[in-house]
Amino acid sequence: MKLGYARVGTDEDNMTLQIDALRAAGVELIYEDKGLSGSAVIKPAYIDMVRSAQPGDEIIVWRLDRLSRSLGTLMIELEKFGRLNLGFRSLSEGIETISPEGRLFFQMVGAFRQFERDVIAERSNASDPGTGSERRPRGRPAVISDDQWSMVSALIAGDPPLSAADAAKLLGVSRQAVHKRLKAIAANQRRTVSNDTS
C-alpha cells in the first residue's frame, strides 16, 4: 500500500501542491500535519502513519524536508523505515528505496548512522587520564546542539519511543541537557496555550 505524508509549517497554509503530487503518484492514503515545523518533536499524523504501516508498504513524500529539515533526524527516520521493511520515495528529489539501487541507498544510510554512533561513542569514551593541560574533562557537556536535539527528539518520538535518558545515552549527550530542553519546550507550549485561551 502507498502511504503519503504531507506537512505544512506554521508559516504555510496550503498543502494542495503536496496532495496533488502524492495522488498523482498513486498514494492511497494521505496523512497530514498542519502548522508544524519540520523540527517539531511530535508530528501526530506522521506517527500514526508509521504505526499503521505494514511491512512492504511504501511511504511517499513530496519533498525530503517534509519529514525533517535536519539531516541527522532524516537519517534516523530512513533507518527506521529500513528496519520496518518499509519502502520510501521522495518525489522531488527522485529518491526511492524500492529498486535494487534504492535499497543500496538504505544500506548507505545505515552505514552512515553506524559511523555516527561509533564517532559519538568514541568521543564520550575519550577521557584522557593524563594531568595538567593534557587532562580532558570527564562526563558529557551539559549543553546540546540543535542537530543533537533533532536526533534525540526523533528517538523520543520514535516507534518504539526511547526514554529521554536512553536517547541521551545512545547519542552521548548530557541527560540533564535533554531534560532541560524538554522542560523549556513544555513551558513554551503552556505559555502558547495560555495566550490562545486568554
Side-chain angles (χ1 to χ4, degrees):
M1 185 174 185
K2 293 184 178 181
L3 306 176
Y5 177 67
R7 179 189 61 78
V8 289
T10 54
D11 58 343
E12 305 170 274
D13 60 5
N14 191 338
M15 59 171 64
T16 302
L17 182 61
Q18 297 180 56
I19 300 297
D20 289 347
L22 292 173
R23 287 176 176 163
V27 169
E28 301 162 68
L29 185 59
I30 299 175
Y31 293 79
E32 304 175 17
D33 275 320
K34 298 180 180 179
L36 286 179
S37 166
S39 61
V41 177
I42 303 296
K43 300 184 181 74
Y46 176 75
I47 293 173
D48 288 344
M49 176 185 66
V50 175
R51 285 178 176 169
S52 64
Q54 300 297 314
D57 286 350
E58 182 181 8
I59 291 177
I60 301 177
V61 296
W62 172 57
R63 205 168 61 194
L64 285 174
D65 66 357
R66 298 303 90 189
L67 287 185
S68 175
R69 293 180 178 175
S70 162
L71 178 59
T73 304
L74 182 61
M75 290 177 68
I76 289 173
E77 294 306 308
L78 293 179
E79 187 182 39
K80 181 196 300 181
F81 295 161
R83 292 198 308 269
L84 296 174
N85 194 26
L86 300 175
F88 173 75
R89 184 186 307 273
S90 178
L91 301 176
S92 295
E93 289 85 0
I95 294 173
E96 54 82 22
T97 62
I98 305 301
S99 67
E101 294 82 2
R103 287 192 289 274
L104 177 61
F105 176 76
F106 254 173
Q107 294 172 11
M108 291 173 61
V109 168
F112 278 119
R113 286 284 297 133
Q114 184 59 52
F115 172 74
E116 181 181 48
R117 283 191 289 265
D118 291 344
V119 169
I120 290 171
E122 183 177 321
R123 287 176 179 170
S124 66
N125 294 325
S127 297
D128 192 335
T131 58
S133 61
E134 295 179 356
R135 189 179 185 89
R136 296 180 183 177
R138 296 182 180 274
R140 302 184 181 99
V143 295
I144 182 168
S145 69
D146 288 340
D147 282 343
Q148 288 172 326
W149 174 249
S150 294
M151 289 186 279
V152 168
S153 60
L155 292 172
I156 293 174
D159 185 16
L162 292 183
S163 68
D166 287 342
K169 183 177 180 180
L170 178 64
L171 294 174
V173 298
S174 165
R175 181 172 54 185
Q176 291 80 3
V178 172
H179 284 294
K180 183 177 180 181
R181 189 83 173 246
L182 286 171
K183 287 180 180 178
I185 290 173
N188 185 57
Q189 289 175 340
R190 285 194 297 270
R191 284 195 297 270
T192 300
V193 171
S194 177
N195 291 336
D196 288 343
T197 56
S198 61

